[in-house]
Structures are given as structure tokens and as C-alpha cells.
Amino acid sequence: MAGRGKLIAVIGDEDTVTGFLLGGIGELNKNRHPNFLVVEKDTTVNEIEDTFRALGAFSAGEAEASPDHHDPQLLNETPNRQFLNRDDIGIILINQYIAEMVRHALDAHQRSIPAVLEIPSKEHPYDAAKDSILRRARGMFTAEDLR
Amino acid sequence: MAAADLRAELDSLLLQLLWDLEELESKRVALNARVEEGWLSLSKARYAMGAKSVGPLQYASRMEPQVCVCTSEAQNGLQKFRVVRAGAQSPEEVGPREAALRRRKGLTRIPEPEVFSASPNPLNWFGILVPHSLRQAQASFQEGLQLAVDMASLQIHINWGRSQLRGLQEKLKQLELGAA
């Protein structure tokens, strides 16, 4: 695994995940956990948040210090959430409307890797005003700074 | 003079940032277009194959990634992504001899064993003969992946530029306060 690089993960609706898996990013075998999450109507926000955080927001040390530290028992019970501490994910693709549900988790993600890319979904077109990266970039320029 | 140098550096950094942001936006527009094309093709494939024939029910129980990303360090120490495809190898070179052999009647060419790992094409999950629209969907999403990787590299560069900008602005403020 180390020799072949990092994975691209995807959190999205059925069409988005199916499309990117068709593109060849999917990983799933007996011993590994999937690098994708299909968000359906009954998928809870906690599930999405757990998956996202586990995909890349936490290192081993940060997990304990986080105020939203999850019960290890819960993590053990949801093996596909064991994206925690995965250092084999390089990029996370996430539908923007799903990113909105876990915006606080995205905003808290400051590391450059994994990179998080927000993409549109069929029902929700992309809105640049909501993108975390662009919001931070907009915040760079104030009238004071440009004087 | 130090303040003037800092300002010049700030200007240069700002210009680079703005250029990166513009590049990011143009790639995003392209990615969104590819993804939308992909969805349309998936819908056409569903129309041809049946509504439940293209979805999570068809995902393989074992998947090996055909596409990964490698990180490399640029000169300024920034990480940059690069797409790596399974089975990436130099194209088979067919010399004149091989072409002549192929043209001989009755001579069958022994198929070479596949060099890359046995990562089956995800198209195979959906059947042996899949409609052209599904292949089109795959192509659209594959192009989208390349764009996504480029965008990820740009985002890293933009974040780095942001932190550099903040640092330089702080230094400039301190210099100006000191001069005052």
C-alpha cells in the first residue's frame, strides 16, 4: 500500500459515489475499510461526521484532545468508520450539501493532507460562497490589509 | 528599505495567490462540468439497464483502487499531488516484426499476461456488455479525478500562500510600529 500512494476518498450521494468508484478510486477488501460513504436519506449527520473526521481530521494525538472525542466503543462498533488515523487518504471528495451538514468539522480541518474538495450534487449546485477554502481566502483580504 | 522589500514580497505573494485562486476556479468549473456529464451518462445507463442496475447494489465486495495519488515535495517544500493509475506502464511498442507476424494467416499471437495487478475494471460490476453511456460516465469521472487532484494541489498552495501572507503582514505591521 505504501508503494502505490494515497487513496482518494468520497462522501456523497449515490450517483456521485458510483461515478467516482467507476473512475477507479474504490478500495474494499476483507481486512480494509471502504474509502467511500454513500449518503442516503437515513444516513445520520453523526455518521457523516464520524466518517469525515475519521478520514482525515484527526491524528492519533488529536483524537483524545478533541472536545468531540467519540466513544472508542462506538468506533469499534462501526468498523467502516475506522478512517480514524488513516494516513493513506490523500484527498476527500464531498458533496457540498453534505459538507454543509458537517461544516464545523470541515472548518476545523486545518491540515493540508488530506485535501478536502467540495463538489456539487445533482440536486444542489455548487455555491462558492459556502466553500470552506474560498471563505478562508475571502477572509484574507480586508480593507485594512489592502491599504 | 526592509519595509519596501516586505511590501514587494507581499505584492508578489498576493499576485501569486490571486492567480492560484483563478486557476482553482477554472478547474472547478471544468470539474463540475465533467461530474454533471457523468451524472447524465449514469442516468442514460440506468434508462438502458434498469433503474436499480447502476448503484450500490452492484458494487464489488472486493475493490482495488485503480487510481491513487502520490505526493511529492516541490521546491518550496509544499506537497503536490500526482495521479497514479494501476498498470501505468509504457505503451506496448509494436515493431515491424510483430506487425508482420500478426498479418500471417493462422499465426495466433500469444496474449501477454497482464503486467498490472488484477484490478478489474469497475465497469465489470455492471455486467459484461455495458451500454456506451456507462463507459462515457466512467470517462467523465476519470477526467474529473485528474481535475480534482490538480485542485487539491492548488488548495495546498493557496493555504500555504495564505499563511505566508499573514506572516508577512504581521512583520510589516511590527516594522511600521517600530518605525513609528
Side-chain angles (χ1 to χ4, degrees), chain B residues 52-85:
Chain B
K52 297 288 181 188
S53 300
V54 182
L57 291 174
Q58 283 73 41
Y59 294 174
S61 56
R62 292 192 64 175
M63 298 180 196
E64 284 286 330
Q66 293 192 320
V67 176
C68 291
V69 289
C70 276
T71 52
S72 55
E73 212 166 282
Q75 279 179 346
N76 49 16
L78 281 182
Q79 298 286 334
K80 196 175 160 66
F81 289 111
R82 183 173 55 89
V83 173
V84 174
R85 296 189 184 275

Side-chain angles (χ1 to χ4, degrees), chain A residues 4-6 14-15 18-19 21-22 24-26 28 90 116-118 120-121 126 131 134 136 139-141, chain B residues 14 25 28 32 39 42 46 56 59 62-69 81 122 138 141 145 148 155 162 166:
Chain A
R4 64 176 178 187
K6 293 182 185 285
E14 185 179 307
D15 276 6
T18 302
L21 290 184
L22 260 180
I25 66 170
L28 177 64
V116 179
L117 284 181
E118 295 179 29
S121 65
Y126 175 77
D131 190 299
L134 294 184
R136 284 178 204 164
M140 284 190 302
F141 308 110
Chain B
L14 203 54
E25 273 316 290
R28 187 179 297 283
N32 291 351
W39 289 328
L42 279 178
R46 281 203 188 94
Y59 294 174
R62 292 192 64 175
M63 298 180 196
E64 284 286 330
Q66 293 192 320
V67 176
C68 291
V69 289
F81 289 111
Q138 185 181 50
F141 279 101
L145 280 170
Q155 277 184 191
R162 247 182 76 230
R166 287 280 179 231

Side-chain angles (χ1 to χ4, degrees), chain A residues 1 3-8 13-30 35-36 38 40 90-91 93 95 110-122 126 128 131 133-134 136-137 139-142 144-146, chain B residues 14 17-18 21 24-25 28 31-32 35-36 39 42-43 46 54-56 59-71 79 81 84-85 121-123 125-126 134 137-138 141-142 144-145 148-149 151-152 155-156 158-159 162 165-166 169 173:
Chain A
M1 179 62 211
R4 64 176 178 187
K6 293 182 185 285
L7 299 170
I8 302 174
D13 56 24
E14 185 179 307
D15 276 6
T16 302
V17 174
T18 302
F20 281 112
L21 290 184
L22 260 180
I25 66 170
E27 185 189 66
L28 177 64
N29 62 25
K30 285 180 191 174
N35 63 332
F36 56 90
V38 179
E40 291 161 338
I91 299 174
L93 302 171
N95 283 139
Q110 297 287 336
R111 294 187 297 160
S112 55
I113 293 177
V116 179
L117 284 181
E118 295 179 29
I119 54 180
S121 65
K122 274 167 81 172
Y126 175 77
D131 190 299
I133 302 293
L134 294 184
R136 284 178 204 164
M140 284 190 302
F141 308 110
T142 63
E144 186 66 30
D145 294 334
L146 297 173
Chain B
L14 203 54
L17 258 174
L18 290 171
L21 282 167
L24 181 69
E25 273 316 290
R28 187 179 297 283
L31 170 65
N32 291 351
V35 165
E36 284 165 17
W39 289 328
L42 279 178
S43 298
R46 281 203 188 94
V54 182
Y59 294 174
S61 56
R62 292 192 64 175
M63 298 180 196
E64 284 286 330
Q66 293 192 320
V67 176
C68 291
V69 289
C70 276
T71 52
Q79 298 286 334
F81 289 111
V84 174
R85 296 189 184 275
N121 190 337
L123 277 177
W125 304 343
F126 303 95
L134 201 59
Q138 185 181 50
F141 279 101
Q142 281 173 342
L145 280 170
V149 169
M151 284 168 65
Q155 277 184 191
I156 290 174
I158 288 168
N159 285 336
R162 247 182 76 230
L165 194 75
R166 287 280 179 231
Q169 284 169 338
K173 258 187 204 165

